[in-house]
Amino acid sequence: MAAALPPSTAPPLLTRRSAAGLERSRRSPRGQHGGCCARRLPAAATAGATCGLTRRATAVAAAARAGEGAEEGSLQMVLLSTAVAVCGSFEFGTCVGYSAPAQAGIVGDIGLSNSQYGIFASVLTVGAMVGALTSGRLADTLGRKMTMRLAAIVGIFGWLAIYLAKGATMLCLGRVLLGYCTGVLSYVVPVFISEIAPKGLRGGLAASNQLFICSGCSAAYIIGATISWRSLVIVGLVPCVFLLVGLPFIPESPRWLANIGREKEFRASLQKLRGEKADISGEATEIIEHVESVLGLPKARIQDLFHRKNMYAVIVGVGLKVFQQLGGINALGFYTSYIFSSAGFSGKLGTTLIGIIQIPITLLGALLMDRSGRRTLLLVSSSGTFVGCFLTGLSFYFKAQGLYTQLVPTLALYGILAYYVAYSIGMGPVPWVIMSEIFSINMKGIAGRLVTLVSWVGSFVISYSFSFLMDWNSAGTFFLFSAASLVTVLFVARLVPETKGRTLEEIQESLMAGT
């Protein structure tokens, strides 16, 4: 990295990094990080820094205060950048939510059978798998902004294909394109937000990703109950257009710019995000220091994910996405109307109620993200999804046994609403937030690709098999989902780290230390 920087700026950065490294060595019981920095210094620089240790400590403290000041500076550009990025999240939500309210209209107009419609609904996840496989490489090569732009363009073509469809083939083609769009956006949006946000606001801002996924899904549910399936396409087109229009007005991720050696653009981007008058020297030094520490490592390969130093983060990231899917969210998301109807409750009314409650609950989760912490929200959420699935399973059990028949629709309604409330506050947003935080800059692309792929593979398996599971045993299906939620509680309590209130660089250090 140092060789890529302009010669006129490299020495000041080196001096600041040296002082910071010596100070961390003095404060750290192990002194490992500081020792590494000291070995990189020329002897004269090391001697000078050692002799002025007190003066350097003061400078480091000032830099830390400057970094805090940067976080307290102007947030207007951070909020604008987040607002533009979450248009991609809203698009994600409309793609997922579209199939439930559109089912009756598409089956009636196009003449699809229920099994054909099941393929149409689940084929979204096939495109998403392809998107997940390419998302990390695209984001690392083209940049976060260009990747979002590409996904929006693909999304527009997907919606147009569905709007113009006269048969099953065109419908499925459009759905696959939308899947690719969501697969890419599901990775790049939370990563972009986490890389531009100050550490004290990162959790809440990153949680806005899930808030707008829920908002898009809710918009599809509520609006889809009143308009035709072709008109509902417009709800999906709008966020794609907003994303394309907004991207030119926001800066690129400063951490990505630093990682590819574009220091001038990196500093300009960071300054724009923190405000013209903010002192970014402390934060800039920390970012460049971390980038340089990983830049000397070999290029990340898939087998590096299973290296000892990366395994913990991989287990946490992949595990959360596996349990998120095993909890049944995409089965409920794709077939909400069908589940309500099977339990004897109005499908349209049920999906509308879910659309109404999701947004405020997800907003509450976003507000609590940097207060209660990630682990607490995950524990509360997975406990709630356990209760919700158990109640829903109980309603189908009573229906099958002919018991308390008057309570079956009400029990199903309460169970599904409880599930969505619990999911929206934790298991929905938090895994994406943690995924964007726990991987180092050199592993983020390949690890994020793996995590996102696992998420969409799980989504496909659950959504495609759901109708068969319901035919096998409706009650047993939801009892299985509730059991998965119970195991999630144990997984979170045992393995998931707390990341609130830490910079991305501090999180990497703590994971390397096993804390």
Side-chain angles (χ1 to χ4, degrees):
M1 179 70 184
L5 299 179
S8 60
T9 58
L13 284 173
L14 182 61
T15 302
R16 285 195 297 272
R17 286 196 302 271
S18 304
L22 287 170
E23 175 60 15
R24 276 196 301 273
S25 177
R26 184 178 69 85
R27 291 181 297 177
S28 171
R30 297 183 298 271
Q32 294 173 348
H33 189 77
C36 177
C37 292
R39 285 193 295 272
R40 293 201 309 262
L41 294 175
T46 306
T50 304
C51 293
L53 187 59
T54 303
R55 186 169 63 255
R56 296 298 189 190
T58 304
V60 170
R65 288 193 296 272
E68 293 173 1
E71 292 182 9
E72 296 171 359
S74 173
L75 292 174
Q76 293 179 359
M77 184 52 67
V78 172
L79 296 178
L80 175 62
S81 299
T82 302
V84 171
V86 294
C87 289
S89 307
F90 193 92
E91 170 64 12
F92 183 165
T94 60
C95 292
V96 172
Y98 178 82
S99 62
Q103 181 171 359
I106 291 178
V107 169
D109 293 350
I110 304 296
L112 300 183
S113 65
N114 285 332
S115 61
Q116 287 177 315
Y117 191 81
I119 294 174
F120 167 76
S122 60
V123 79
L124 177 84
T125 58
V126 175
M129 288 180 220
V130 180
L133 282 170
T134 60
S135 59
R137 184 173 294 275
L138 286 173
D140 286 347
T141 304
L142 303 178
R144 301 352 183 184
K145 285 176 57 178
M146 183 59 72
T147 302
M148 286 188 278
R149 184 175 290 115
L150 175 64
I153 293 171
V154 173
I156 289 173
F157 280 106
W159 285 117
L160 291 177
I162 290 177
Y163 182 82
L164 298 172
K166 302 296 183 183
T169 302
M170 196 68 166
L171 279 172
C172 288
L173 173 62
R175 192 72 168 162
V176 169
L177 290 176
L178 292 180
Y180 183 85
C181 169
T182 56
V184 173
L185 290 173
S186 64
Y187 167 75
V188 72
V189 170
V191 167
F192 175 77
I193 294 174
S194 71
E195 289 180 348
I196 66 170
K199 66 179 181 180
L201 297 175
R202 190 179 62 248
L205 291 177
S208 65
N209 172 57
Q210 182 65 26
L211 173 63
F212 278 82
I213 291 174
C214 289
S215 299
C217 194
S218 297
Y221 283 167
I222 296 171
I223 299 174
T226 60
I227 64 176
S228 71
W229 64 274
R230 291 192 193 272
S231 299
L232 187 58
V233 165
I234 298 173
V235 178
L237 282 171
V238 169
C240 289
V241 174
F242 272 52
L243 186 58
L244 288 175
V245 171
L247 283 171
F249 297 97
I250 64 174
E252 179 58 91
S253 162
R255 285 179 169 87
W256 178 75
L257 291 169
N259 191 50
I260 63 171
R262 291 160 57 178
E263 197 219 3
K264 185 177 180 180
E265 292 95 329
F266 154 67
R267 289 184 171 277
S269 173
L270 188 60
Q271 191 74 66
K272 194 172 184 180
L273 287 165
R274 299 297 179 258
E276 293 182 3
K277 297 182 180 179
D279 184 350
I280 63 169
S281 58
E283 188 175 5
T285 299
E286 184 177 16
I287 292 172
I288 289 182
E289 189 176 50
H290 176 71
V291 167
E292 287 193 351
S293 71
V294 299
L295 209 61
L297 299 175
K299 186 176 180 179
R301 301 165 299 172
I302 189 70
Q303 55 263 43
D304 293 334
L305 292 172
F306 307 102
H307 193 278
R308 182 178 177 183
K309 65 181 179 181
N310 297 318
M311 273 298 294
Y312 179 36
V314 170
I315 290 171
V316 171
V318 171
L320 284 175
K321 299 310 294 183
V322 168
F323 286 117
Q324 186 185 58
Q325 295 305 322
L326 289 179
I329 181 56
N330 279 296
L332 273 73
F334 290 151
Y335 299 99
T336 303
S337 181
Y338 167 73
I339 295 170
F340 277 123
S341 300
S342 299
F345 194 83
S346 168
K348 283 191 174 182
L349 178 57
T351 54
T352 302
L353 288 174
I354 290 172
I356 292 172
I357 67 169
Q358 271 190 308
I359 298 175
I361 296 300
T362 306
L363 178 59
L364 176 62
L367 294 174
L368 292 175
M369 188 75 68
D370 288 311
R371 298 183 182 182
S372 301
R374 284 58 153 162
R375 278 170 51 87
T376 301
L377 289 180
L378 284 173
L379 290 170
V380 171
S381 177
S382 51
S383 299
T385 56
F386 162 74
V387 173
C389 282
F390 187 82
L391 290 177
T392 306
L394 203 59
S395 73
F396 279 101
Y397 176 78
F398 288 158
K399 180 183 178 180
Q401 300 298 319
L403 302 172
Y404 310 110
T405 53
Q406 71 278 10
L407 288 178
V408 168
T410 304
L411 200 58
L413 174 65
Y414 286 161
I416 294 174
L417 290 181
Y419 178 92
Y420 271 99
V421 167
Y423 180 86
S424 298
I425 205 171
M427 282 303 295
V430 177
W432 292 112
V433 173
I434 291 181
M435 183 271 289
S436 69
E437 295 176 324
I438 59 176
F439 297 112
S440 62
I441 190 71
N442 68 316
M443 295 300 300
K444 188 167 287 188
I446 194 167
R449 194 157 68 235
L450 173 66
V451 172
T452 309
L453 176 63
V454 167
S455 176
W456 285 110
V457 169
S459 175
F460 174 77
V461 171
I462 296 298
S463 61
Y464 185 74
S465 63
F466 180 70
S467 58
F468 300 105
L469 289 171
M470 289 290 283
D471 290 339
W472 162 69
N473 191 318
S474 298
T477 299
F478 285 96
F479 287 146
L480 286 175
F481 291 157
S482 66
S485 294
L486 193 59
V487 177
T488 305
V489 175
L490 301 177
F491 176 81
V492 173
R494 181 70 181 87
L495 290 175
V496 177
E498 181 57 72
T499 58
K500 75 165 185 174
R502 296 177 175 183
T503 66
L504 297 182
E505 290 71 33
E506 289 170 346
I507 293 170
Q508 302 313 312
E509 290 185 7
S510 68
L511 290 176
M512 290 289 288
T515 60

